[in-house]
Amino acid sequence: MSSVRRRTVLAAAAAASALAGLPTAASAAPSTPTAVTPRALPGGGDLGPNVIVFDPSTAGIQAKLDQIFAQQETAQFGTGRYAFFFKPGTYSGLNAQLGFYTSIAGLGLSPDDTTINGDVTVDAGWFNGNATQNFWRSAENLALVPVSGTNRWAVAQAAPFRRMHVRGNLNLAPNGYGWASGGYIADSRIDGQVQPYSQQQWYTRDSVIGSWLNGVWNMVFSGVQGAPAQGFPNPVYTTLATTPVSREKPFLYLNGTEYRVFLPEKRTNASGVTWGNGTPRGTSLSLSQFYVAKPGVTAATLNQALTQGLHLLLTPGIYHLDQPIQVNRANTVVLGLGYATLVPDNGVTALKTADVDGVRLAGFLIDAGTVNSNTLLEVGPSGTTTDHSANPTTVQDVFVRIGGAGAGKATTSMVINNRHTIVDHTWLWRADHGTGIGWDTNRADYGLVVNGADVLTTGLFVEHFNKYDVQWNGERGRTIFFQNEKAYDAPNQAAIQNGSIKGYAAYKVGANVTVHEGWGLGSYCYYNVDPTIVQHNGFSAPTRSGVKFHDLLVVSLGGQGQYEHVINETGAATSGTSTIPSTVVSYP
């Protein structure tokens, strides 16, 4: 970790000169020290040692890729964080294997500006062919020409595949077709076939595909040209022709020799990719408008940069915070590279935004600290009702972890108060393995709490919380795709009892909500500490005409615990030890 970069200050003036010509010094007014003022922080600068940039003439690219992969392949809870960037051009003979906390991206405005004749590979050899723990890695803004005609991307949660062009097929399963539990694709073009094979669930948004091979439990598409037809529950496809509102994630690119950050514009009723027909629509910011943060910087300095009017670019590494990062200015961008990780110390909240338009939060991980935080991320203050429909806040590839890398606690992971916020791909995870885990050791009652109206979530993954994984109180909320596992480690039925109800629903819509809608939502249980635990339902909502759900499922994994119903009192109980979903196509 680099040395601490602290706020620097101007020295205060200590004395004033006596006025010339006065008869005695005693008649002069006493001097007053000037105020201590922080020196302005610079924008721009280098991206640090863990951002590794290649161009087509760079020697030893494969060796560098292999070196980082060897370090990161099994480092599930390690401290290494890396981002590979490829300048526009053509690269041949590469196989970029991605381990934990590793991102790869092109630096063009379009994926087709940067072509790799080769592969970007995620496989599960490190875990005996089981891909269910291939978390925290990403690929963005590249064109791939796979050597065999098929690129392998066998990932689980928190592993986005964005703005990619695969000139061939895309295989989402590990070698040997072992277990797999992902995943997310957006703004991508797959010329050939997407082949999930053993993938349990997947969400694809605003993309173009040649075809889609199969599905296991829950495959959801919105705005995907070439998607299979609606078929749930057999086949397991939930297909929406468009995505109601979307705005793609900001990304770093090169304009000549200048680094800039592109900000894609908002789309409504979107379908297909944002690139490929001329310059993408949106605006861009020079890197000089960003404070380029390095690990070790203080929260006070990050907040000083924001107060100055700078945006934040978080280079790869771990950032300890003794106060919240406070985003108060409209249209502020906070962009992380290489899974930059925020750790709130002493029970603080990692990041808060004000009730302003157009904030973009993207590409970072929040790791709960050892002292309980009431919240880890707050979008907007409590009680706000401001209309942000023209320019919403977006939260994209922002992930939360409680435990796993060590004991961590947080009452609520993410709270959305601002209206019209779009949460586009998140994984909120109370860890079920690693270190510092246990029913009370990494206590975390709630994953996502939505209080704001008109909030949209696309690609929502929330797992293992002690109470409600999702609590939705705001009006007119919408969710397209939800994946959940209830907490494995509940010690007994009494520990999860919710008054007279057996267990807390995975997704709870508040009793006063009159309008809400969800598509393609799944909850799974695996109560391995006490397999006799019964969960009353996966989903709970008021029964009224404006509250609608489409394509719901609950699954008992190997009979370790059971669901009595899918939603409220509707839907059959799960069936013994058979890992077969119980489904509801439409509710009410």
Side-chain angles (χ1 to χ4, degrees), residues 79-105:
T79 58
R81 304 286 187 274
Y82 295 93
F84 292 117
F85 284 100
F86 287 74
K87 293 181 180 181
T90 301
Y91 302 77
S92 295
L94 298 179
N95 181 17
Q97 299 183 83
L98 299 187
F100 288 99
Y101 315 108
T102 305
S103 298
I104 188 170

Side-chain angles (χ1 to χ4, degrees), residues 16 165 175 282 284 298 328 373 376 432 438 483-484 522 524 531:
H165 185 185
N175 185 30
S284 74
T298 63
N328 294 327
S373 294
L376 294 174
D432 60 282
Q483 185 265 332
N484 165 264
Y524 320 146

Side-chain angles (χ1 to χ4, degrees), residues 261-478:
V261 173
F262 193 80
L263 308 177
E265 72 173 15
K266 185 188 76 170
R267 297 198 291 171
T268 56
N269 298 318
S271 173
V273 299
T274 63
W275 50 271
N277 294 308
T279 303
R281 298 170 69 98
T283 57
S284 74
L285 299 168
S286 169
L287 194 63
S288 66
Q289 294 173 267
F290 285 77
Y291 178 71
V292 180
K294 308 292 195 332
V297 69
T298 63
T301 300
L302 296 173
N303 283 327
Q304 181 193 338
L306 291 168
T307 300
Q308 276 181 216
L310 294 171
H311 307 273
L312 296 182
L313 187 75
L314 305 173
T315 64
I318 296 173
Y319 297 76
H320 281 268
L321 307 172
D322 61 359
Q323 60 180 272
I325 298 172
Q326 185 68 55
V327 179
N328 294 327
R329 191 180 70 255
N331 302 310
T332 298
V333 179
V334 180
L335 176 61
L337 305 179
Y339 287 83
T341 301
L342 307 179
V343 182
D345 294 328
N346 301 317
V348 303
T349 298
L351 189 148
K352 298 181 179 183
T353 80
D355 185 14
V356 294
D357 273 356
V359 173
R360 303 183 195 226
L361 308 176
F364 55 90
L365 171 64
I366 299 174
D367 213 353
T370 55
V371 177
N372 185 74
S373 294
N374 187 46
T375 60
L376 294 174
L377 176 69
E378 294 181 20
V379 178
S382 178
T384 177
T385 59
T386 307
D387 188 319
H388 296 294
S389 56
N391 186 13
T393 286
T394 44
V395 182
Q396 299 176 283
D397 300 349
V398 173
F399 308 117
V400 169
R401 177 174 65 196
I402 297 141
K409 292 185 178 183
T411 304
T412 303
S413 291
M414 184 182 293
V415 179
I416 307 296
N417 292 318
N418 279 358
R419 288 184 65 192
H420 301 102
T421 300
I422 301 169
V423 181
D424 174 45
H425 190 223
T426 190
W427 184 40
L428 312 179
W429 186 54
R430 177 182 165 266
D432 60 282
H433 61 270
T435 60
I437 62 166
W439 184 248
D440 292 308
T441 305
N442 62 328
R443 182 82 192 185
D445 285 350
Y446 307 102
L448 175 67
V449 174
V450 179
N451 298 317
D454 307 292
V455 171
L456 171 66
T457 60
T458 52
L460 178 59
F461 299 76
V462 189
E463 294 186 311
H464 307 307
F465 286 84
N466 294 79
K467 293 185 178 179
Y468 293 121
D469 298 276
V470 173
Q471 169 74 62
W472 205 299
N473 302 315
E475 284 286 2
R476 297 179 298 281
R478 291 176 290 185

